[in-house]
Structures are given as C-alpha cells and as structure tokens.
Amino acid sequence: MYSGSSDGEGHDAAQRKIPPASSMLWVRNLRRFIGSGTGLGSEALMELEIKRILLDIFKEKQQKSAEAGTIPSFYKKKPEEGSISQRVQRLAKYRFLKKQSDLLLNADDLDAMWVCLRENCVIDDATGAEKMNYEDFCHIASVCTEQIGPKCRRFFSPSNFMKFEKDESGRIAILPFYLYVMRTVSLTQARIDMSELDEDSDGFLQQHEMEAYIRGLIPNLAQLRDMPPAFVQMYCRIAAHKFFFFCDPHRRGKACIKKVLLSNCLQELMELHQESEEEVTDTEQAENWFSLTSAQRICDVFLTLDKDMNGTLSKQELGEYADGTLTEIFIERVFDEHIRRGKTGGGNAREMDLESFLDFVLALENKDTPEGLTYLFRCLDLHGRGFLTTADIHSLFRDVHQKWIEGGNYELCIEDVRDEIWDMVKPADPLRITLADLLACKQGGTVASMLIDVRGFWAHDNRENLLQEEEEPEEE
C-alpha cells in the first residue's frame, strides 16, 4: 500500500511540467521593476550609469581601432607639466604611497614583535637557540595582531614559515624570521622613498633623483652623521655613481628601482647603520665604497692626479694611478673605449672627468663582477672583435713584462704566461677568448689584472706565498 501510493505520486509528479521562470508573472514583474531602476538606490543607479558610460567609451575605441586598421598605440604621451592630468597623477601616486607606508611596521612595532617572539618561543636544549614550531608561530601571530595590529599579520603566513630551515622537531629559529621581517620592511620603505622621488613614475631613477635619495639617508646612517656639510654634495655624487655602474649597464642615465633594491649596492650602503667606533674596523670602512673614508680617498686620489688642476685627467696624469703600475696600452685603451672625443676641448682632445674616473676605479676594484669585467674586456679587446687571440695576449702582456723587468724581477717567457692564461680560462673555442669565457672560468678578474697591471701579475705569481702569509696569523 505504502510503496504503491508512493510510486503513483512519483509518476504523477514526473508527468507535471514546471513552467519556465520567464512565464511566471511575479518573475516578469520583478524584472521590469529592477530594469526600470525604480527599485534601486541612488548609489546603484550611479554605478549603472558609470558602467554604461565606460561601455560606450570602450565600444567607441573598438570601433576606431577597427576603422583605422593599424596596430593600436602602445605609447601614451606623458602629461604636460602643470596640467590637471599631471596633478591628478601625482595626487593618486601620493595617496597610494601614503597608504603603503601606513601599512608598514615602524621601529616600535618591530621592537614589540621581537618581545613577542622571545616571550613565546622555546629554548633548544642542544644549541640554546630560541625556536618556535608552527603552533607557536600561530600563537605569536595572534599576540602580535592584538598588540601591534593587523598590519603584522601578513608576515605570519604558512608560506613564510616554510621558507626557513627547520630542525628535527619542525621548529624554526626566531632570529632569522625577525631579520626577514626587518629586511622586508626596510626594502619596502626604500621602494616607497625611491618611488616618491621618481618624478615621471616610470620605475627608474635618474642621477639627481638617486643623489636626493642618498642625501635623505645620511642623517639616519650612523657612520655619515658627522660628514662635513661642504662634502655632502660630492659624497652623494660618488655614492650614486656606484648604483648606476651596476644597475645601468647600458648607460642610459637611469637605474631601475627594482634592480637597485635587489643589488648588493643598497645592502652595502645600509651597512653604514652600524656604529663605526664599536662595530666596524678601519679596513672595513676603507673597503666599503659608501663609507666617508672611501669617498674622501677617491677625491684625494683624483685631485692628486690632476696636476694642472683643470678638473680632468689626461693620459699622462691617469698613468700615475696606483703608483704607475698600469700599462700604457691599457691607459690608451681606456681613453679609446670609455672617454668621448672632444669632451673638454676642440679637435681630438680627450680627458677623463670625475664621472669617467669613478667608472674606471669601480671597474678596477670590482674586476670579478660581470660589470667590472665587461668594462675591462672592452679595453683588452684591441680590435673590437669581441674576442682575444694569442696575438692580443702577447701585445697586452708585453708592457707588463717590460715593467716587470724594470722592477728588478727575474726574466720570464711571454709565451709561458700566454699558455698559463689559456689553461686558466679554458675557452670554448681553443683559438679565442671571449667575455663569456672569462666570466665562466671564475678567474676573469685575475686574468685581467695579469694583462693590465704589473702589480696584479706579481700577486698572481706570488699567490702561494701570499696565501701562506694570510694563514699564519690565524694559526698563531
């Protein structure tokens, strides 16, 4: 009885036809009501009107493109100075950067986070390091959110926890995590500061914009606070030049902000936060291009070489660099490849200004980097063919050999040195050495030193003794 009745009802229900929604009177009335706009508020009506206007604009542009039958324009002219468009663009940029800056943790927030990390971590019995597992990580995230605010929440994501090395118990050390947070905040703030100085908002900084960024950092860098005011402009000029040497390889006069943020140059500059009296040795200060000691040294060298005090260096004056150990053919090639003709006078007069001198010094002090080696390879490539032959090596080393003999050293065979260089580089083509070969062999800087500087060849020839002298103090 029960089952039969159920089957009958199911059969009847299957035979019924459900009317489509469009045929229902209440559905039609509701659609007409909404479509007329009567049931919408003023904000909803405004949104519909905006969508209609934008759709009309889009259709108009599509029609124009179809009628033109050409490739759509991919270049948009920058707004004119002082125009309403430019003002709106700058205001939008300012508000966006202000919003991004408000989302960053400040110094007090970072201190509070460090306290939370230390109070809620565990001590590793074996190493004594302060660590946290994922449960501690989530708990600390809740505590920090309560004390600091939601802006710290993004650092406590599962993906961030997985970035750090874990021990057997799945715990990470709190110090690397905290340093990661600090570095992220620092780089984000640096990007905001650079973007504010980027006048045309193209993601690149020009020379004066980079100098302005460095000038703004000076009061916050412990090792630069006592800089003489008269030297600030020159310092910014020297410091900014290293960013362009490494971040503007094509010499377009502007450095990509993303490259600047990821470069070692910015990290080297930020090392000046350390207090010089306690944490940094004199040697480290001299090796840091951005230190006050290094900048003053470069200025002193340039002024000492400039015998006629005309603000530029001739070939003869540059030849005195590094106590005159550089070869004449190399100095000649530097002027051929990196100094413009007629820059300071008529005819073929060529002299090196300060900017070119900074490139020259950076290349010699960073021979093992791709940028430094690229600069030097152009000088070594005597015929501009993109490679070095055995004849080129012979011609380059001949001047080194002459200075070597004049210094009272033992006689040596140029062919032996040439073969040694070939063995060091191991070029892909056994008859020529390219820049790619020098970069791949990881000894390109040494090879370049051997070919341009007698002191560089001496250091290579005495490398074993020099290495032994470096190891002896450590053993004592």
Side-chain angles (χ1 to χ4, degrees):
M1 292 282 297
Y2 178 78
S3 59
S5 175
S6 175
D7 292 341
E9 291 177 1
H11 179 72
D12 294 341
Q15 294 296 323
R16 296 194 196 100
K17 292 184 178 180
I18 300 175
S22 60
S23 66
M24 296 182 184
L25 181 61
W26 68 272
V27 173
R28 294 198 303 272
N29 292 337
L30 181 60
R31 285 180 176 173
R32 281 198 297 269
F33 180 68
I34 295 176
S36 64
T38 308
L40 300 178
S42 59
E43 292 185 2
L45 287 173
M46 189 180 297
E47 289 290 336
L48 286 175
E49 181 68 13
I50 292 173
K51 288 181 180 179
R52 185 185 65 77
I53 294 173
L54 292 176
L55 184 60
D56 292 342
I57 294 173
F58 176 71
K59 289 181 178 178
E60 183 182 354
K61 287 188 175 181
Q62 275 191 326
Q63 184 178 358
K64 287 183 178 179
S65 298
E67 293 174 355
T70 57
I71 299 175
S73 174
F74 59 89
Y75 171 75
K76 185 177 180 181
K77 186 178 180 180
K78 295 179 181 178
E80 297 180 1
E81 186 70 28
S83 64
I84 295 178
S85 177
Q86 186 194 48
R87 293 178 183 179
V88 171
Q89 186 183 66
R90 287 184 176 178
L91 179 60
K93 173 184 171 182
Y94 168 77
R95 294 185 64 178
F96 172 76
L97 295 177
K98 179 69 168 58
K99 181 180 179 181
Q100 296 300 314
S101 183
D102 292 339
L103 294 175
L104 284 180
L105 302 177
N106 55 37
D108 294 335
D109 296 335
L110 291 171
D111 292 340
M113 180 182 287
W114 178 243
V115 172
C116 290
L117 288 168
R118 297 202 66 183
E119 289 179 349
N120 296 276
C121 67
V122 295
I123 308 298
D124 190 346
D125 297 332
T127 62
E130 297 172 314
K131 297 185 176 182
M132 57 181 172
N133 57 25
Y134 187 68
E135 292 182 1
D136 300 329
F137 185 74
C138 295
H139 174 67
I140 294 172
S142 301
V143 175
C144 288
T145 303
E146 293 176 1
Q147 297 184 4
I148 301 173
K151 58 184 177 181
C152 67
R153 190 75 192 180
R154 66 190 184 96
F155 294 107
F156 291 92
S157 63
S159 58
N160 278 348
F161 184 84
M162 296 301 295
K163 290 177 182 177
F164 298 92
E165 183 180 359
K166 297 166 211 49
D167 61 9
E168 298 81 1
S169 303
R171 300 175 300 182
I172 66 172
I174 66 170
L175 181 58
F177 172 75
Y178 179 69
L179 293 177
Y180 159 77
V181 174
M182 288 186 64
R183 179 164 175 78
T184 302
V185 171
S186 176
L187 287 176
T188 306
Q189 185 62 60
R191 181 165 190 175
I192 292 173
D193 294 340
M194 292 180 188
S195 298
E196 289 179 352
L197 294 169
D198 182 12
E199 296 176 357
D200 51 5
S201 302
D202 63 346
F204 291 82
L205 291 181
Q206 299 180 24
Q207 179 81 19
H208 69 279
E209 294 169 342
M210 178 59 73
E211 291 179 13
Y213 171 73
I214 295 172
R215 188 179 296 108
L217 283 180
I218 290 177
N220 301 321
L221 299 176
Q223 297 182 40
L224 301 179
R225 288 173 187 161
D226 299 330
M227 182 185 301
F231 190 67
V232 171
Q233 183 176 356
M234 179 59 70
Y235 171 82
C236 294
R237 187 178 175 185
I238 294 173
H241 205 84
K242 183 166 186 176
F243 284 99
F244 283 87
F245 183 82
F246 286 98
C247 302
D248 182 24
H250 300 295
R251 301 296 181 261
R252 295 182 297 173
K254 55 183 183 179
C256 178
I257 292 178
K258 289 184 179 180
K259 282 189 176 181
V260 170
L261 293 171
L262 297 175
S263 68
N264 293 329
C265 300
L266 186 62
Q267 183 178 355
E268 187 180 358
L269 177 60
M270 293 305 175
E271 289 176 0
L272 302 182
H273 277 295
Q274 301 175 1
E275 296 292 340
S276 57
E277 294 83 1
E278 301 176 0
E279 303 178 24
V280 183
T281 64
D282 293 339
T283 303
E284 290 175 339
Q285 285 190 37
E287 292 177 352
N288 189 324
W289 176 269
F290 299 101
S291 68
L292 184 58
T293 303
S294 175
Q296 290 174 336
R297 171 183 62 84
I298 293 169
C299 283
D300 292 341
V301 171
F302 185 83
L303 294 174
T304 301
L305 294 175
D306 186 14
K307 303 295 185 182
D308 54 7
M309 295 187 295
N310 66 342
T312 57
L313 302 179
S314 64
K315 296 178 184 178
Q316 292 74 22
E317 290 172 335
L318 185 63
E320 299 298 321
Y321 180 82
D323 299 327
T325 58
L326 298 175
T327 62
E328 293 182 6
I329 189 172
F330 172 65
I331 298 296
E332 186 73 29
R333 290 292 299 154
V334 168
F335 275 76
D336 288 342
E337 294 295 328
H338 301 289
I339 309 298
R340 296 178 182 176
R341 292 182 180 272
K343 195 168 185 179
T344 59
N348 292 327
R350 285 177 297 168
E351 292 209 350
M352 177 182 283
D353 59 9
L354 179 60
E355 279 72 20
S356 299
F357 179 73
L358 294 175
D359 284 335
F360 175 78
V361 175
L362 282 165
L364 290 178
E365 293 184 356
N366 299 274
K367 291 186 290 290
D368 293 320
T369 64
E371 295 80 6
L373 199 55
T374 300
Y375 179 100
L376 296 176
F377 185 81
R378 287 180 58 185
C379 302
L380 298 177
D381 185 9
L382 300 179
H383 304 285
R385 297 174 295 189
F387 58 87
L388 308 180
T389 63
T390 54
D392 295 329
I393 299 297
H394 190 280
S395 299
L396 290 165
F397 191 74
R398 187 169 51 205
D399 282 6
V400 176
H401 178 259
Q402 181 179 351
K403 286 182 175 290
W404 174 266
I405 298 301
E406 291 174 356
N409 297 288
Y410 65 89
E411 182 62 50
L412 50 83
C413 179
I414 297 180
E415 286 71 18
D416 292 342
V417 176
R418 181 195 62 198
D419 294 341
E420 183 178 1
I421 289 175
W422 236 259
D423 291 338
M424 292 169 63
V425 177
K426 296 181 176 60
D429 186 336
L431 299 179
R432 57 183 64 177
I433 294 176
T434 64
L435 175 60
D437 294 325
L438 290 176
L439 292 171
C441 74
K442 306 300 182 183
Q443 298 189 74
T446 302
V447 172
S449 295
M450 295 169 62
L451 296 175
I452 66 174
D453 187 354
V454 66
R455 188 164 50 189
F457 176 74
W458 182 90
H460 173 74
D461 190 59
N462 293 271
R463 57 191 179 280
E464 295 180 358
N465 296 332
L466 294 174
L467 182 62
Q468 185 177 0
E469 291 177 2
E470 292 178 359
E471 293 176 350
E472 285 178 356
E474 297 179 359
E475 295 177 356
E476 293 176 359

